[in-house]
Amino acid sequence: MCPCGLGRPYAACCGLLHAGAIAETAEALMRSRYSAYVLGDIDYLLATWHADTRPARFDLGDAAATRWLGLEVRRHAMTGADSAIVEFVARYKSGGSPAVRLHELSRFVREDGRWFYVDGDH
């Protein structure tokens, strides 16, 4: 099953986007980015990060020690013709530390038909 939580096989869900399909919504892009974190796909994360805010280098740390526990999308809303927000909670555990709950309100923009992650508030 796809890590994004929609209950579909990975190949018919986020796997399509990871292989180059275009996300139809900011929520779909956000879910595919969560799946990329789960799978350690740094190239996809950087490719879907807006050029204005994308870091020059990005490190997932010890991805092998991180266990992603789930994703809950709380809200997805268009804020303009080519902008949207997605509020989500992602849970993960790293090493022997307690589980972490990442609650973010993310901003996305669409350029030339493609959605990009801009930034987010925790």
Side-chain angles (χ1 to χ4, degrees):
M1 292 321 246
C2 190
C4 80
L6 286 178
R8 298 184 206 147
Y10 169 74
C13 195
C14 293
L16 294 171
L17 300 178
H18 293 172
I22 296 173
E24 292 185 22
T25 65
E27 179 183 347
L29 182 68
M30 192 283 311
R31 286 181 178 279
S32 72
R33 286 178 53 82
Y34 171 83
S35 292
Y37 275 99
V38 172
L39 300 171
D41 190 344
I42 292 174
D43 291 338
Y44 183 81
L45 292 167
L46 289 172
T48 57
W49 209 318
H50 194 272
D52 289 348
T53 56
R54 178 176 48 230
R57 294 180 48 157
F58 184 64
D59 182 10
L60 288 175
D62 188 0
T66 302
R67 188 168 54 112
W68 291 89
L69 305 172
L71 173 68
E72 174 193 351
V73 174
R74 294 202 169 165
R75 179 170 49 130
H76 168 240
M78 295 295 296
T79 57
D82 290 309
S83 60
I85 56 167
V86 179
E87 180 183 7
F88 69 90
V89 176
R91 294 179 10 265
Y92 66 93
K93 205 171 169 171
S94 186
S97 61
V100 175
R101 185 176 172 271
L102 173 67
H103 184 182
E104 181 173 308
L105 180 62
S106 300
R107 286 176 285 280
F108 294 83
V109 295
R110 183 171 41 199
E111 293 180 350
D112 298 324
R114 289 191 173 271
W115 284 102
F116 293 93
Y117 170 77
V118 176
D119 59 19
D121 295 323
H122 296 107

